[in-house]
Amino acid sequence: MPRAFLVKKPSVSPGKRSWSDLPDHERGDIYIPVSVSPPVLWDETEASTAEVALCLSTRKEHIRCTQKYTQDPHAVVSTAELPSCTTLGQHPSPETERIRSSQNSSYVRSKIKVTTGDPPSEAPATIPSMTTGPPDAVVSPCPTVSAGTSSAPTAGGSYVCQVCQKVFQFQRMLNRHLKCHSEQKRHLCTFCGKGFNDTFDLKRHVRTHTGVRPYKCTLCEKAFTQRCSLESHLKKIHGVTQQYAYKERRTKLYVCEECGHTASTQDALLRHLHTQHPNSAFLRAKVARRQSGAAGGVVLEENSLPSSPLSLHSDDTVGSGEQ
DNA sequence: TGCTGCGCCGATAAATGG
DNA sequence: CCATTTATCGGCGCAGCA
């Protein structure tokens, strides 16, 4: 999908970022952590999170740590052999908390994409009130309000975002798009406090903290957090181009975010979880969801914490595969 | 049965480090 | 400069709900 509507934004050195010096609208979608505390879902049998801190003390150290084990064939093959820094859901030690807080200033960086379509010169952090759109298009409401109150599409059959004037063919596309303008429904990383509009985005991000790298190169020992990174590596380093049709879905990989273990089927992942992580948040969430479904859809607070990476597990690796 | 939200995926931008 | 990492966001499948 071409992204011609994307434009570059002047880079800002993350190490020099001073959030207090920036107006809200320039902070973009970087969440300013208020109180980031992980849920109490700790597995006492797991190793100390001090090792996490050691791995995450700086970005450089973090990379060194993850690369060290990703280049170690013994480390990447078996999930149980992964370093403890890949384990989620452990009680944060003071050291870990210190590292996390330090990361807020040195690790998080702005990656704001700006859409074209004649947006306001200074995109405000708060969504402006609705303005008049093109006469033949349905105008989106303020994203901070309900995104589903637009009427049916007009003869043009288009839905227009009033923030950036982008046009969508379907209302649900517009609703989805409005999230990127909204301050609501942020999914917060418990490691660094960064916010995301999508749980999957948060899940991917958390891998940068945990060291989980599900996508492993079969030709060398490198591993990656994102599939596209692996495909890029295969193409550039090994000259292997994946043969996929345009928009063809790759084989789904079921990832255990507890340790990075991957499975080709949901059943295999569940077996792994039952044997290796019987107290995992994912399994607990699965049980809780079953119970909540029986109780009328009440979601347990523990599994609905938006800031918890563990909360991802409830719909994470299973996700659509469960659907 | 259609609508909607959620989650996943992929394309791609941008930053980083060797 | 290039490989890699990380982040953003549109597209889409699926399940739940009215």
Side-chain angles (χ1 to χ4, degrees), chain A residues 113-175:
Chain A
K113 286 185 181 180
V114 181
T115 59
T116 58
D118 197 20
S121 57
E122 286 289 334
T126 55
I127 307 304
S129 58
M130 188 168 65
T131 58
T132 304
D136 63 335
V138 175
V139 170
S140 71
C142 175
T144 56
V145 191
S146 170
T149 55
S150 300
S151 60
T154 61
S158 56
Y159 298 83
V160 179
C161 173
Q162 275 308 289
V163 180
C164 64
Q165 310 302 315
K166 189 167 175 59
V167 180
F168 297 87
Q169 188 178 358
F170 304 107
Q171 171 139 26
R172 67 188 199 132
M173 297 296 181
L174 172 61
N175 292 344

Side-chain angles (χ1 to χ4, degrees), chain A residues 31-80:
Chain A
Y31 174 77
I32 295 90
V34 177
S35 175
V36 183
S37 58
V40 188
L41 292 172
W42 317 115
D43 185 345
E44 297 293 336
T45 64
E46 297 288 346
S48 165
T49 48
E51 294 174 40
V52 178
L54 290 174
C55 292
L56 301 177
S57 55
T58 65
R59 173 178 166 81
K60 200 169 184 176
E61 291 298 319
H62 177 212
I63 292 172
R64 190 179 304 155
C65 168
T66 56
Q67 285 185 341
K68 179 183 178 182
Y69 89 80
T70 56
Q71 291 171 0
D72 179 358
H74 299 292
V76 291
V77 173
S78 171
T79 59

Side-chain angles (χ1 to χ4, degrees), chain A residues 165-217:
Chain A
Q165 310 302 315
K166 189 167 175 59
V167 180
F168 297 87
Q169 188 178 358
F170 304 107
Q171 171 139 26
R172 67 188 199 132
M173 297 296 181
L174 172 61
N175 292 344
R176 170 66 177 79
H177 165 81
L178 289 175
K179 287 182 181 178
C180 74
H181 293 305
S182 175
E183 292 292 317
Q184 297 176 334
K185 291 199 152 191
R186 307 309 296 270
H187 302 277
L188 308 182
C189 172
T190 57
F191 291 87
C192 66
K194 194 175 190 312
F196 297 85
N197 288 316
D198 196 311
T199 54
F200 183 71
D201 290 337
L202 172 59
K203 181 182 74 176
R204 269 196 303 216
H205 164 80
V206 166
R207 288 174 185 164
T208 68
H209 296 300
T210 62
V212 169
R213 290 165 174 261
Y215 303 100
K216 302 176 182 69
C217 178

Side-chain angles (χ1 to χ4, degrees), chain A residues 50 60 70 76 86 102 142 152 154 199 219 227 257 269 289 293:
Chain A
K60 200 169 184 176
T70 56
V76 291
T86 65
S102 69
C142 175
T154 61
T199 54
L219 301 176
R227 192 194 301 261
E257 301 293 345
L269 175 65
R289 195 166 35 185

Side-chain angles (χ1 to χ4, degrees), chain A residues 245-292:
Chain A
Y246 179 61
K247 287 189 177 180
E248 178 185 347
R249 293 273 166 147
R250 275 65 162 172
T251 304
K252 181 173 174 58
L253 191 66
Y254 295 87
V255 181
C256 172
E257 301 293 345
E258 302 279 345
C259 64
H261 175 75
T262 57
S264 57
T265 66
Q266 181 186 344
D267 285 347
L269 175 65
L270 288 174
R271 279 196 298 273
H272 164 81
L273 285 167
H274 277 114
T275 56
Q276 301 295 324
H277 315 285
N279 295 319
S280 69
F282 172 71
L283 289 179
R284 280 199 292 265
K286 201 170 182 59
V287 172
R289 195 166 35 185
R290 209 174 297 145
Q291 291 173 343
S292 68

